[in-house]
Amino acid sequence: GQSGANVETLRGNTGADFEGYATVHRGDGNGAFAMFDLFSCFGKKKDGLYFLLIKGYHCFVFKDEEAKSPNYAIELMNRNAVIQPSHESFIPHVPHPGADRNTTYTTIHLETGLGDIEYKFTFANIEDGLASIFCNVVSAASNEATTEQVRKKLGHEGLLSKRASVRYANTIGAEKKQDQPEAPVGAGEVLAGMPVPGY
């Protein structure tokens, strides 16, 4: 099927919006929901160094640049990428390509509209501004996805002149987002499960 989209295929003729290695951690991993995170440890342990590629409205997470298809995709609509202060940056266990002992790292939280941390990405500060570029690309992808959703609701899908490679990436992304590691319970789910006062 189409899930065999490797890095080259997703780049298409026009390239990706972002590419780079990062340590990927699912969820918050501390704070109020840390206990829920314990359960995900027994499931599929997915933290580690991955190759990220953003194209269209998804961030594709590959084992490495040579992988035949992405492990999963993260939808970027209604998501914010927030750079963390340097003292809170996580030092990965797995060294990043090109990093040495003196390499510093920048951690970025990918947050939902409610402020839940869905993912933490840690980038080695080898390539200048890689973390900032990631944030800018996430922001642009999120805005574009939201705009497209509004246009679809208004019946203006005909105005969407997407390049074929972007349409392809969006199709693969929609397929592969089902393969994301289990999410820790977030504020949305907790709020949804709370009794409504006054009943």
Side-chain angles (χ1 to χ4, degrees):
Q2 292 190 312
S3 52
N6 63 10
V7 170
E8 276 301 309
T9 310
L10 281 171
R11 279 179 186 144
N13 298 332
T14 49
D17 299 320
F18 175 89
E19 290 184 23
Y21 277 94
T23 301
V24 179
H25 173 80
R26 179 68 154 128
D28 190 352
N30 54 31
F33 305 116
M35 56 191 221
F36 295 110
D37 235 14
L38 291 174
F39 302 116
S40 60
C41 297
F42 301 116
K44 301 178 271 192
K45 193 76 183 103
K46 294 282 190 172
D47 292 3
L49 184 65
Y50 292 98
F51 182 75
L52 306 182
L53 182 150
I54 298 179
K55 178 109 178 199
Y57 310 146
H58 295 87
C59 175
F60 296 92
V61 180
F62 288 88
K63 189 169 76 71
D64 54 41
E65 219 172 326
E66 277 69 56
K68 288 187 169 51
S69 71
N71 293 21
Y72 56 95
I74 303 163
E75 191 173 22
L76 297 175
M77 186 161 77
N78 301 326
R79 298 292 178 271
N80 299 315
V82 184
I83 293 186
Q84 300 308 299
S86 56
H87 64 271
E88 289 186 20
S89 278
F90 160 84
I91 305 300
H93 306 300
V94 183
H96 287 213
D100 60 31
R101 279 186 329 206
N102 304 318
T103 301
T104 58
Y105 289 89
T106 300
T107 295
I108 290 175
H109 290 174
L110 187 70
E111 300 178 356
T112 64
L114 285 170
D116 283 327
I117 299 168
E118 273 200 321
Y119 287 91
K120 293 179 178 179
F121 299 104
T122 300
F123 294 95
N125 299 325
I126 306 169
E127 286 180 58
D128 262 3
L130 193 64
S132 320
I133 294 166
F134 179 81
C135 288
N136 294 339
V137 171
V138 166
S139 172
S142 176
N143 292 338
E144 275 179 42
T146 309
T147 304
E148 174 158 327
Q149 192 184 44
V150 170
R151 281 183 174 162
K152 275 185 177 166
K153 278 188 184 146
L154 296 173
H156 299 320
E157 284 175 87
L159 299 175
L160 308 172
S161 56
K162 290 255 163 300
R163 295 191 310 268
S165 63
V166 174
R167 285 199 303 271
Y168 177 74
N170 287 340
T171 305
I172 299 293
E175 251 177 53
K176 295 300 285 185
K177 73 177 183 191
Q178 269 85 19
D179 297 337
Q180 289 182 74
E182 281 297 297
V185 176
E189 288 89 317
V190 171
L191 292 171
M194 283 183 174
V196 179
Y199 285 97

